[in-house]
Amino acid sequence: MSDHILKPHHGNVFLNVKGYETTISDFSNYLKVRGYREGTRNNYRSALSHFLRWLSAKSSQREAINNEMVVVFLNQHLPACRCLPPVYREYKTIRAALNNLLISRGKPPLMPVAAKIPPAIKNILCEFDGFQRDVCGLAESTRVYRQRFVRTFLVWLFGTSAVDSTKISPEALSNFITDQTGGLKPSSIGVCLTSLRSFLRFLQFKGESNVALLAGIPRPPNWSLASLPPCLGEDEMSTFLAAFDLKTPIGKRDYSMARCLIDLGLRCHEVAALQLDDINWRQRVVELHHSKSRNEEQLPLPNTTGRAFVDYLRNGRPATTSRSIFVFHRAPFGHGVANTTVRGAIRRAFSRAGLPWTGTHILRHTMATRMIQSGVTLKEIADILRHRDMVTTQIYTKINLPELKQVAVPWPGRQ
């Protein structure tokens, strides 16, 4: 143990391995610059110390810190670790810490742990994803959902055997649907069935299936116009907007993101993907390069959204080289936000406002409702919301109360 120096620090114990003190110091500074909090930095340094202790017993060369050694440590050493205490063993935190270590040293991060899928199924799923992307033009989020159900179906039918499309029969489809959709909501059942249909069309595209096989997939009852789309009333909207603290940088950022959802009808991933170059201030338009349809779109920039942008960019956004409009104010400091950042900001605002909503799509519904009640045509609303099919937009005709009142007639027998 002469090569290890035990040093207590804020209740944690760090093992400063001889020869690696600079690595720990540089890593700690790297985490601090990126905005990680002290507690997280402490845990990450403890994780790094465990890794370095193990590494020092295997090699005295500092160049040994690479992706291969990290994978060996995580997959082989950690599950059977017998290191003398005190050591840090929490897998998730250690993996995150070592990922940051690799990135700080200019190395690629570890790939996410993928589910074990038989090679034959994995290959056909890759082809199916390419078909959805290049032929159907579907967004990544849609492709992920469809691949999930198709993967489950293929594993259910073929297991580890080779995929034989001739064995996909109406009976097999019916049995799978019966087994897998019990207890699911109608919307989830619809996604499952749509995924299977898409896969069968892919097989038709390859010449390995026929149109008749699609008849083996039932269509669940779906009355798309049976319910009213939820939307916020005027008082609820005022309460919601007042829930953002515009005196803080994060409050300014979250309010600006909310305005994108309310005024522009953007989706979460579109808000997160906005870049500084996407705002054309002279022509007062917002250019979308990451829309669901994968087409480049332009939307007019409302005054309320523009003012929110200016306030955040001038008075809230931290100094960073990132071209993303909305960035993290905590670790990873200065990097563009994720989709979950947008959802989380809206969910917390609803909670502070005492409103029962948790999702962001209600803000798109609210925008469309206000537009149609102001006399905007369905075609214009469809263009703003970027609907491919006008049928999707027709649901808003039910909430045009001013127009509906004009066609209402008295109930028979009443004055």
Side-chain angles (χ1 to χ4, degrees), residues 218-236:
R219 291 186 179 274
N222 179 26
W223 295 279
S224 60
L225 300 180
S227 60
L228 290 171
C231 63
L232 300 180
E234 292 295 333
D235 293 340
E236 291 176 320

Side-chain angles (χ1 to χ4, degrees), residues 142-204:
T142 304
R143 303 199 314 266
V144 167
Y145 276 110
R146 293 191 178 183
Q147 279 201 80
R148 183 181 305 169
F149 282 106
V150 172
R151 179 176 65 245
T152 303
F153 170 67
L154 294 177
V155 172
W156 176 87
L157 183 59
F158 299 107
T160 57
S161 304
V163 177
D164 184 356
S165 59
T166 62
K167 294 183 179 180
I168 302 178
S169 63
E171 292 77 16
L173 292 167
S174 178
N175 291 336
F176 171 78
I177 293 168
T178 302
D179 290 345
Q180 299 293 318
T181 59
L184 294 182
K185 294 181 179 180
S187 57
S188 297
I189 295 175
V191 173
C192 175
L193 301 183
T194 299
S195 302
L196 293 176
R197 288 194 195 94
S198 180
F199 181 67
L200 293 179
R201 292 190 184 99
F202 160 68
L203 294 180
Q204 289 178 24

Side-chain angles (χ1 to χ4, degrees), residues 11-318:
N12 292 326
V13 176
F14 303 129
L15 303 174
N16 288 333
V17 184
K18 186 177 180 180
Y20 287 102
E21 292 88 347
T22 303
T23 299
I24 295 177
S25 176
D26 291 346
F27 183 60
S28 181
N29 292 333
Y30 169 81
L31 295 175
K32 188 173 183 179
V33 169
R34 294 194 78 194
Y36 284 88
R37 294 181 177 181
E38 182 179 4
T40 303
R41 298 201 305 271
N42 289 345
N43 290 337
Y44 281 12
R45 286 198 298 267
S46 297
L48 176 58
S49 293
H50 186 184
F51 171 69
L52 294 179
R53 167 193 269 193
W54 169 81
L55 191 61
S56 67
K58 296 182 68 65
S59 172
S60 60
Q61 298 178 0
R62 298 190 58 174
E63 289 74 19
I65 299 180
N66 54 36
N67 293 60
E68 181 180 357
M69 297 307 294
V70 169
V71 170
V72 172
F73 175 77
L74 291 172
N75 296 343
Q76 298 181 19
H77 171 74
L78 203 56
C81 176
R82 295 295 184 269
C83 294
L84 296 176
V87 291
Y88 197 91
R89 292 191 176 94
E90 207 281 315
Y91 177 87
K92 184 177 180 180
T93 301
I94 292 178
R95 192 178 193 278
L98 297 183
N99 245 339
N100 275 280
L101 175 67
L102 292 172
I103 295 172
S104 71
R105 297 170 70 86
K107 300 181 183 299
L110 301 177
M111 296 298 293
V113 179
K116 293 183 178 179
I117 305 173
I121 293 178
K122 188 174 183 179
N123 291 337
I124 197 169
L125 285 176
C126 289
E127 292 183 42
F128 176 53
D129 184 61
F131 170 78
Q132 294 183 99
R133 181 188 62 246
D134 301 329
V135 178
C136 302
L138 298 180
E140 182 180 2
S141 57
T142 304
R143 303 199 314 266
V144 167
Y145 276 110
R146 293 191 178 183
Q147 279 201 80
R148 183 181 305 169
F149 282 106
V150 172
R151 179 176 65 245
T152 303
F153 170 67
L154 294 177
V155 172
W156 176 87
L157 183 59
F158 299 107
T160 57
S161 304
V163 177
D164 184 356
S165 59
T166 62
K167 294 183 179 180
I168 302 178
S169 63
E171 292 77 16
L173 292 167
S174 178
N175 291 336
F176 171 78
I177 293 168
T178 302
D179 290 345
Q180 299 293 318
T181 59
L184 294 182
K185 294 181 179 180
S187 57
S188 297
I189 295 175
V191 173
C192 175
L193 301 183
T194 299
S195 302
L196 293 176
R197 288 194 195 94
S198 180
F199 181 67
L200 293 179
R201 292 190 184 99
F202 160 68
L203 294 180
Q204 289 178 24
F205 184 78
K206 293 180 62 180
E208 299 179 9
S209 180
N210 55 64
V211 178
L213 194 57
L214 283 169
I217 302 180
R219 291 186 179 274
N222 179 26
W223 295 279
S224 60
L225 300 180
S227 60
L228 290 171
C231 63
L232 300 180
E234 292 295 333
D235 293 340
E236 291 176 320
M237 179 60 74
S238 299
T239 304
F240 169 71
L241 292 176
F244 296 94
D245 185 0
L246 298 183
K247 297 180 181 179
T248 66
I250 293 181
K252 294 177 186 294
R253 180 199 66 184
D254 293 352
Y255 176 77
S256 298
M257 295 191 300
R259 294 260 45 137
C260 291
L261 297 166
I262 297 168
D263 300 335
L264 299 173
L266 300 188
R267 301 175 178 90
C268 281
H269 74 275
E270 294 169 340
V271 175
L274 281 177
Q275 303 289 301
L276 294 172
D277 301 323
D278 293 339
I279 310 300
N280 189 324
W281 296 101
R282 292 186 180 277
Q283 297 183 15
R284 301 179 64 83
V285 297
V286 178
E287 299 176 356
L288 301 180
H289 303 284
H290 299 84
S291 65
K292 186 176 181 180
S293 64
R294 300 176 66 215
N295 296 324
E296 294 191 0
E297 313 274 357
Q298 282 192 345
L299 295 175
L301 178 63
N303 290 335
T304 51
T305 314
R307 287 194 293 267
F309 280 158
V310 170
D311 186 30
Y312 173 60
L313 294 174
R314 287 181 174 176
N315 307 313
R317 187 174 182 269

